[in-house]
Amino acid sequence: MSSMEVPDPDIVASVRPHQDDAAKRYSMAEVERARSAPEDIEEKGDRANYDKVDSEVAKYSSSARIEISPEEDTRLRRMIDKRVLVVMITTYFLQAIDKGTLSFSSIMGLPKDTGMLTPEGKVSQSFSWLTTCIYITILVVEYPQNYILARVPVAKYLSFSIIAWGTVLACHAACKNFVGLVVVRTMLGLFESACQPAFVILSAMWYKREEQASRVTYWYMMNGAQQIVGGLLAYCFTLITDGPLKSWQWLFMAYGIISVIFGVFVLWWMPDSPMRAKCFSEEDKHLMVERVRGNQTGLQNRVFKKDQVWDALTDPQTWCYAGIQFTTTLPTSGLGAFANLIISGSLGFTNLQTQLLAMVLGFYIIIVLLGSVWLVKKFSQNIMVMLGFVIPSFVGTILLMTIPNESFPQHVGLLISYYITLSFWAAQTLGLSMMSRNVGGQTKKTVVVATNFIFWSAGNAIGPQVFLSREAPKYFTAFATHLGCYALLVLILLFFRFHLTRQNKKRDQLAAAGVNEAHDDRLTHAFEDLTDRENPNFRYVY
């Protein structure tokens, strides 16, 4: 046990007989966990222990909280948005549109040209492996990627990854068979696996807790934007009917080259951290560090701490985040890969109509994500909003499974049902933003984020496999599996809310009992790389 001593609430109650006796109910396990932090709070008093603060962070942080005016805070946020948010939004848009190329190319001749059609002319089961192989790769490399991200300049590593995946994407155009496509898709998964974990790190590094939900939503809603732009561009590429390359080959070539060019831009434009941002003045860098003190999740620390690994693996919220990702990405992946096949084959629309209807789906996704973050801002209820947006997914999926598909009005009704099934994306996005806001300690965050995206990739890998080619175009097994995922998601969210509420109440009881470390308005120890469970002053958002 390390030397950080948090007063035992039983002792506090006996010394201070007028304090709330409810503090006694704060479990000894929780107190012992708080004691496991690396420095004795009583010996430190009201000063930060800079031995435990990253050297770069210590250079720009104050000994205690400083006040930043609302006007100054807005100015700083706009500067950060210009350098960081713009890059995250554009990068994720390119990644989303890169992944969307497979769905669009599925009705542009790729399956036929690469030998992935059955004798009956249907897309074979091998097509689903082109999505699955990406996520199997991510599942394998996710923890190494997170380990690297915690120890290298994030912006430079992100730039390298964008250039690499752009190159691989362009190489898709050279593939002539299934084996070649599997190779390039696997390489694509390797380089794209750095994107979302990097964004979670960047969101926690640059933005305050109350800003992170909207920032994560802004870059995540590029999934909807790619449906809009991707559908329009895919239609344009479909018009290419002659020349040395097929339309789907031009699609991959164009997107790959654009990604490479943008990767070079990121290398020049995006700073690695507030401390290393040469584009900002020294005073602004100091203020940018101080404005995220209230997060209490740490900013940067490259020291690997084994005790934080154990903290992460034994923390229920780690597995709740993982469960949220698994139960949302399994439906997402299948619906994404087979979206155009479902609309054109199951619902009876032409290829042209399918490409254009994908744009409507994109608008719906953006409305869902913006609506969810607006509700969170208004009511400060993340998990309740997540639960609310799962309801339309139940309704839409049940309608897809039960309504006949015989007339044009039924085609339209089923199309709308298909759209509303994607409402659960709000839970996926808010889950990511909660993770960036609720996990303290850099080593712990590395493990939690890696675990999250391992389950994320597992869901994505399984998703296309439940769309059985023999069940086309209704895919009954797939939609039944999705219903099971939504039901499990509801159970996870209900438990998660109960757990976080209970943890906050315990800490409030400590504060009411007079334990100063549970009510430190000065946030003296915010940059000491304490985990959320080691820090009794930390409160969870839910």
Side-chain angles (χ1 to χ4, degrees), residues 468-481:
L468 305 177
S469 58
R470 65 177 180 271
E471 294 184 350
K474 292 296 290 184
Y475 299 112
F476 185 85
T477 298
F479 289 119
T481 303

Side-chain angles (χ1 to χ4, degrees), residues 46-174:
D46 292 331
R47 63 181 177 83
N49 177 16
Y50 283 99
D51 291 338
K52 304 300 178 181
V53 180
D54 180 84
S55 58
E56 290 185 358
V57 177
K59 180 180 177 182
Y60 289 98
S61 62
S62 302
S63 58
R65 186 176 195 170
I66 63 173
E67 293 297 327
I68 300 176
S69 68
E71 295 77 16
E72 187 76 351
D73 188 65
T74 299
R75 182 184 70 85
L76 294 170
R77 187 181 67 248
R78 287 174 177 170
M79 292 170 64
I80 294 168
D81 285 345
K82 181 180 177 181
R83 288 280 177 172
V84 179
L85 183 62
V86 168
V87 169
M88 290 198 294
I89 288 175
T90 309
T91 301
Y92 201 76
F93 172 74
L94 286 175
Q95 187 186 64
I97 207 169
D98 291 350
K99 288 180 179 177
T101 52
L102 183 64
S103 179
F104 289 119
S105 63
S106 67
I107 58 173
M108 295 171 67
L110 181 144
K112 178 181 178 182
D113 295 336
T114 54
M116 286 188 291
L117 291 181
T118 65
E120 295 78 22
K122 295 181 179 180
V123 176
S124 67
Q125 191 67 29
S126 59
F127 179 78
S128 64
W129 282 100
L130 298 183
T131 297
T132 297
C133 66
I134 286 183
Y135 297 107
I136 290 177
T137 305
I138 294 175
L139 190 149
V140 173
V141 304
E142 195 58 55
Y143 185 77
Q145 283 280 32
N146 278 270
Y147 184 87
I148 293 170
L149 281 167
R151 284 155 183 81
V152 300
V154 179
K156 292 182 178 61
Y157 191 71
L158 181 63
S159 170
F160 160 75
S161 299
I162 297 170
I163 293 171
W165 91 50
T167 303
V168 171
L169 189 69
C171 290
H172 281 58

Side-chain angles (χ1 to χ4, degrees), residues 101-384:
T101 52
L102 183 64
S103 179
F104 289 119
S105 63
S106 67
I107 58 173
M108 295 171 67
L110 181 144
K112 178 181 178 182
D113 295 336
T114 54
M116 286 188 291
L117 291 181
T118 65
E120 295 78 22
K122 295 181 179 180
V123 176
S124 67
Q125 191 67 29
S126 59
F127 179 78
S128 64
W129 282 100
L130 298 183
T131 297
T132 297
C133 66
I134 286 183
Y135 297 107
I136 290 177
T137 305
I138 294 175
L139 190 149
V140 173
V141 304
E142 195 58 55
Y143 185 77
Q145 283 280 32
N146 278 270
Y147 184 87
I148 293 170
L149 281 167
R151 284 155 183 81
V152 300
V154 179
K156 292 182 178 61
Y157 191 71
L158 181 63
S159 170
F160 160 75
S161 299
I162 297 170
I163 293 171
W165 91 50
T167 303
V168 171
L169 189 69
C171 290
H172 281 58
C175 295
K176 302 297 183 182
N177 53 42
F178 172 71
V179 174
L181 284 170
V182 168
V183 172
V184 293
R185 299 297 286 178
T186 300
M187 295 296 294
L188 191 66
L190 171 64
F191 296 119
E192 287 190 346
S193 63
C195 181
Q196 286 183 316
F199 287 1
V200 173
I201 293 171
L202 289 167
S203 296
M205 179 185 293
W206 289 95
Y207 291 103
K208 298 192 293 185
R209 291 178 96 187
E210 58 268 28
E211 298 167 345
Q212 289 176 30
S214 58
R215 267 58 191 177
V216 170
T217 298
Y218 292 155
W219 57 259
Y220 207 82
M221 72 183 187
M222 290 302 102
N223 285 296
Q226 78 87 9
Q227 288 283 346
I228 299 170
V229 178
L232 183 61
L233 291 178
Y235 168 66
C236 294
F237 280 104
T238 303
L239 300 178
I240 301 175
T241 56
D242 53 14
L245 298 177
K246 301 290 182 67
S247 59
W248 63 267
Q249 292 175 310
W250 282 115
L251 187 72
F252 283 110
M253 282 284 292
Y255 291 169
I257 292 170
I258 292 171
S259 296
V260 170
I261 295 172
F262 181 72
V264 175
F265 170 77
V266 172
L267 181 65
W268 168 70
W269 182 254
M270 187 181 191
D272 291 306
S273 69
M275 297 77 69
R276 293 190 177 190
K278 296 180 180 179
C279 52
F280 301 138
S281 68
E282 290 296 301
E283 180 182 357
D284 283 342
K285 287 192 281 187
H286 173 71
L287 292 174
M288 286 175 182
V289 170
E290 283 300 321
R291 75 188 294 272
V292 298
R293 177 184 289 273
N295 294 356
Q296 298 189 82
T297 55
L299 201 155
Q300 174 180 287
N301 195 297
R302 295 192 168 95
V303 178
F304 182 81
K305 300 177 180 178
K306 292 182 180 179
D307 59 316
Q308 291 196 11
V309 175
W310 180 249
D311 191 319
L313 295 177
T314 57
D315 190 346
Q317 70 166 331
T318 300
W319 306 107
C320 287
Y321 293 129
I324 291 169
Q325 291 304 311
F326 181 81
T327 54
T328 54
T329 55
L330 193 154
T332 298
S333 178
L335 290 172
F338 286 82
N340 289 338
L341 292 177
I342 293 170
I343 295 173
S344 61
S346 178
L347 303 183
F349 292 95
T350 66
N351 284 359
L352 172 59
Q353 290 171 332
T354 299
Q355 300 283 28
L356 297 179
L357 286 171
M359 298 171 64
V360 180
L361 176 60
F363 280 113
Y364 180 74
I365 291 172
I366 290 175
I367 291 170
V368 165
L369 297 183
L370 288 178
S372 66
V373 77
W374 180 82
L375 289 170
V376 167
K377 283 184 176 180
K378 184 174 180 62
F379 299 107
S380 299
Q381 291 290 336
N382 291 265
I383 293 178
M384 295 303 293

